[in-house]
Amino acid sequence: RKREVDDHEALQKRVDELDPKAEIKQFSDLPLSQPTSSGLEASRFKTLTEIQSKSLPLALKGKDILGAAKTGSGKTLSFLVPVLENLYRQKWTELDGLGALIISPTRELAIQIFEVLRKIGRYHTFSAGLIIGGRSLQEEQERLGRMNILVCTPGRMLQHLDQTAAFEVDNLQMLVLDEADRIMDMGFQSAVDAIVEHLPKQRQTMLFSATQTKKVSDLARLSLQDPEYVSVHESA
Ligand code: ADP
Ligand code: MG
């Protein structure tokens, strides 16, 4: 019998009762909404990768995450699934404004994240946008106010926060820094610091990288609250 996953309260209860150490193997065994479950199924994602298995239960519960796993290990879904779910369970609508901000070091990676978001998020009603430059600032500005989820590069995002008067971030629930090590290597620390200063302090922050460098933990200290460290090491 199909679970009543469209019931927000029942879903929240299942998330609350989820044991973060349960080592869940299949997406179908996670407490996920119907739109996300269908999106994952349509995208043919069934079995969790190791980083997903370790981080998703914690992230779904709203914990701050500092995650490290090598390239190709599936970090994108480790943050996109909680972004969709945590907004869904809050019954986020267009009127609630920006709920999640995902920062990526490069335009190419931002586009890749956005494509995965469009695929697995296809049955949700959230609006999502890419803020990576390449269009006029004004063109981007006009779309910004309507977005629930944004994928951006640090420089362009900062430009908007500084220059777009009507850009509201007061409701933001989630901040994701993907490839945090590269964000640091590319010299975006001060841009990220400045972005974080605009954001509400009460939020969920997830930081993912391929390595656990000192620089990443510097960044983490600025933007994470009591984070769960999740890492996957290559087997010998
Ligand atoms: P990372 O960000 O860690 O480098 P990605 O999120 O880009 O890794 O995922 C790498 C590849 O693995 C992508 O092609 C993605 O579609 C695939 N992938 C991710 N998670 C799963 C999964 N649970 N099952 C099957 N393939 C997956
Ligand atoms: Mg990645």
Side-chain angles (χ1 to χ4, degrees), residues 27 45-49 52 69-77:
F27 284 106
F45 293 121
K46 265 197 187 130
T47 307
L48 304 187
T49 66
Q52 290 161 6
K70 66 174 180 175
T71 301
S73 55
K75 295 187 290 295
T76 314
L77 294 182

Side-chain angles (χ1 to χ4, degrees), residues 87 90 92 96-102 148-150 157 167-176 195-196 198-205:
L87 293 180
Q90 295 188 50
W92 207 261
D96 294 307
L98 186 63
L101 180 64
I102 299 161
N148 297 138
I149 303 169
L150 284 181
M157 189 61 202
F167 189 22
E168 272 288 335
V169 292
D170 292 355
N171 259 357
L172 188 99
Q173 304 292 309
M174 272 172 282
L175 170 67
V176 178
I195 292 169
V196 168
H198 281 85
L199 306 177
K201 290 207 166 47
Q202 197 59 48
R203 60 161 200 269
Q204 181 180 15
T205 304

Side-chain angles (χ1 to χ4, degrees), residues 14-25:
R14 289 179 60 215
V15 170
D16 292 342
E17 288 168 354
L18 178 64
D19 173 6
K21 300 249 170 339
E23 295 189 18
I24 284 170
K25 300 270 192 300

